[in-house]
Amino acid sequence: METLDLQPSRRVLLAGAGALAFGGIAGAAHAAAEPGPLINPVVRQRADAQVFKHIDGYYYLTGSVPEYDRLIIRRSRTLAGFTDAEEVVVWRRPTEGKLGGYIWAPELHWFDGAWHMYFAAGDKDQPFRIRTYAIRCKSPDAMAGQWELLGKVETPWDTFTLDSTVFHHKGVRYFCWAQKEPGIDTNSNLYLAPLATPLTLGEAPTRLTVPTLDWEIRGFKVAEAPAVLIRNGRVFIAYSASATDDRYCLGLLTADADADLMAQGSWTKSPVPVLVSSEETRVWGPGHNSFTVDEQGRDVLVFHGRDYKAIKGDPLFDPNRHTRVQRLYYKPDGTPDFGVPAGAGEIPDRFSPADQPGAFLRVDGGAVSVGEGPLAATQLRQKAGAGGVWLEPILQPGQALRVEGGKVTVGPGDGAARFKRVKGLAGGKGVSFQAPDGGYLMHRNGAVVVGPARDARARAAATFLVS
């Protein structure tokens, strides 16, 4: 994975940052120890989630709390550890005046030898008079250090401003944010500019996109929450669109990594959303995402979503937007494939036969095969149980791969669906799944069956690499 940044960012993958003089971290007790498996939702009632892995080896998490009254941080050695990690309040809104209104969408960054947290805040008497502010901590320990209010971020217009992120690319520190521009009939557009100081822009901003497509203007005309991902020779900016109920979704902007990012013509917009609500997985309103990497260095998508569709009252005040994660995959052309929002439970995997790279276990209704197909059809959840695991297709919660007459189908997760997971039979790589009758899950001419693994060819067909 290429190095993307020299500081942690809510929305920029840190896949290998450069060296930084960073002292030992005090207060390690703030991080949860020996967490269990990674289960969604990872953190309940934390929206607008930022998760990143910093160069100190810790993951950091911040996000909006339902009360919209404070700024929080969690720290953990693992992604799973966030569920039980201690949460520290680093700043509370004043009881009167400026910044006394709603506190939204914090972002945590390390640069210029200090921690900076950007956030949106309203005023006490005008809680929706949202502007962007920053606080700073000069201690290397963001959890225990002293935070101070720096002030308001200055943009060309004194208007509704939120969801700011910072990223580095080719020696330039960029600031990307959402704002309502006078004279444009939208709630917010996306803008980009170099950052001169923590509170000032280095030059006039570029307007990256205005919400005009059908999926961007449902309920409200919104482009917000930019999330930067630099991969495969391109700069991607995921962003959120429409109202914050089940219509909330993600879009994607793309520019060549060598292009002038400040030229509006360098960017193209996805004609359709890249992540939407899913009735099958029972996740609604996925959005306001960030990116990170897991403990194996694999790319991970972070987002929030609800477990139900119907909302009473204003969706902004429904507290149950939960932080969720799932692995991020890529299409053959190198662009990210977001798939569908994975539902509650273990993080799903993809299983590719050792002897057929590029193909995956695939579930289509009740049929199980090996081949290509939509990402969601190739994602299965390993659910641990007494004596084995169940392989649950994410589009069919409660169902599992099961053995019937030597063939593999999809049905209830009972004894016929229980497999014993063992090291891959072909050289110990990957995994193999032993059925109750002693045979192994394997592919044969595109079909998935259970049978003996007596020779090298059969062992390869019964070994699956996990991604």
Side-chain angles (χ1 to χ4, degrees):
M1 300 178 110
E2 60 185 308
T3 298
L4 304 182
D5 204 339
L6 297 180
Q7 50 86 43
S9 170
R10 168 188 188 185
R11 295 172 174 135
V12 181
L13 282 170
L14 292 178
L20 176 66
F22 204 90
I25 292 296
H30 288 300
E34 299 183 4
L38 185 54
I39 303 290
N40 272 324
V42 177
V43 182
R44 293 186 175 274
Q45 296 193 342
R46 293 296 176 265
D48 311 327
Q50 175 200 19
V51 174
F52 63 87
K53 191 172 187 179
H54 188 42
I55 53 177
D56 63 3
Y58 281 94
Y59 287 97
Y60 289 80
L61 178 149
T62 189
S64 299
V65 302
E67 299 82 7
Y68 301 139
D69 65 349
R70 62 194 186 274
L71 300 175
I72 58 91
I73 303 175
R74 296 188 186 202
R75 183 170 68 205
S76 174
R77 284 292 186 186
T78 65
L79 292 173
F82 279 130
T83 300
D84 298 316
E86 180 183 353
E87 185 170 278
V88 172
V89 177
V90 298
W91 187 85
R92 291 186 183 273
R93 68 184 179 190
T95 57
E96 299 294 337
K98 291 289 184 183
L99 292 87
Y102 299 132
I103 306 298
W104 290 346
E107 285 247 4
L108 182 63
H109 303 269
W110 171 271
F111 61 86
D112 292 345
W115 291 102
H116 298 77
M117 184 178 284
Y118 292 91
F119 62 99
D123 300 339
K124 177 65 175 180
D125 58 346
Q126 294 179 281
F128 284 101
R129 190 182 183 277
I130 298 294
R131 303 294 185 268
T132 294
Y133 299 86
I135 59 175
R136 179 177 62 187
C137 174
K138 294 183 179 180
S139 169
D141 189 347
M143 307 287 284
Q146 183 69 37
W147 287 84
E148 61 178 338
L149 180 65
L150 276 185
K152 177 176 171 289
V153 176
E154 298 299 328
T155 65
W157 318 284
D158 184 24
T159 59
F160 185 82
T161 311
L162 73 165
D163 294 351
S164 301
T165 192
V166 177
F167 70 99
H168 288 71
H169 183 59
K170 295 188 178 296
V172 178
R173 180 182 300 153
Y174 288 97
F175 193 69
C176 190
W177 73 98
Q179 186 163 12
K180 180 176 178 59
E181 181 178 343
I184 299 180
D185 183 25
T186 59
N187 296 92
S188 61
N189 314 312
L190 291 186
Y191 298 87
L192 180 70
L195 192 63
T197 74
L199 300 179
T200 59
L201 307 180
E203 62 181 84
T206 294
R207 186 191 315 121
L208 295 182
T209 190
V210 174
T212 58
L213 302 177
D214 173 70
W215 51 271
E216 299 176 300
I217 59 173
R218 295 173 180 170
F220 296 98
K221 298 176 181 179
V222 168
E224 64 182 17
V228 180
L229 170 68
I230 304 174
R231 283 288 182 271
N232 304 324
R234 276 161 283 192
V235 179
F236 303 104
I237 299 181
Y239 66 96
S240 300
S242 290
T244 57
D245 53 19
D246 63 287
R247 295 171 289 185
Y248 208 45
C249 61
L250 291 183
L252 190 67
L253 300 175
T254 304
D256 189 278
D258 293 324
D260 178 4
L261 300 189
M262 290 297 292
Q264 190 180 59
S266 296
W267 297 91
T268 58
K269 180 193 292 190
S270 57
V272 296
V274 295
L275 189 70
V276 299
S277 295
S278 173
E279 296 281 348
E280 293 87 357
T281 64
R282 303 168 190 169
V283 178
W284 287 271
H288 210 121
N289 78 289
S290 60
F291 298 104
T292 188
V293 293
D294 67 10
E295 293 82 352
Q296 289 75 49
R298 298 173 296 188
D299 292 349
V300 169
L301 172 70
V302 183
F303 63 99
H304 72 231
R306 294 184 179 87
D307 294 321
Y308 49 84
K309 182 176 183 179
I311 300 171
K312 295 181 180 179
D314 189 333
L316 201 59
F317 300 106
D318 179 279
N320 293 316
R321 294 184 294 172
H322 306 315
T323 297
R324 306 164 188 273
V325 303
Q326 62 192 58
R327 283 198 288 279
L328 184 70
Y329 297 95
Y330 293 88
K331 300 176 183 177
D333 65 0
T335 59
D337 189 343
F338 292 79
V340 303
E346 294 84 353
I347 305 304
D349 299 300
R350 303 179 85 193
F351 299 92
S352 180
D355 61 350
Q356 196 170 340
F360 298 92
L361 277 178
R362 179 186 176 189
V363 177
D364 185 5
V368 184
S369 61
V370 163
E372 299 178 353
L375 173 59
T378 64
Q379 290 178 284
L380 297 100
R381 183 174 287 114
Q382 298 186 65
K383 299 182 71 69
V389 297
W390 286 260
L391 297 175
E392 178 187 83
I394 67 166
L395 296 179
Q396 300 182 53
Q399 301 292 292
L401 270 58
R402 52 186 287 116
V403 183
E404 295 180 351
K407 295 183 179 180
V408 178
T409 61
V410 178
D414 55 22
R418 185 182 298 121
F419 292 90
K420 181 180 180 181
R421 183 177 55 206
V422 299
K423 288 185 178 180
L425 300 179
K429 295 183 178 180
V431 296
S432 294
F433 296 99
Q434 188 174 24
D437 66 358
Y440 291 90
L441 192 71
M442 62 176 62
H443 72 100
R444 186 180 299 155
N445 299 322
V448 177
V449 299
V450 167
R454 297 191 179 100
D455 54 32
R457 181 176 180 181
R459 287 191 290 273
T463 297
F464 297 90
L465 305 180
V466 183
S467 63

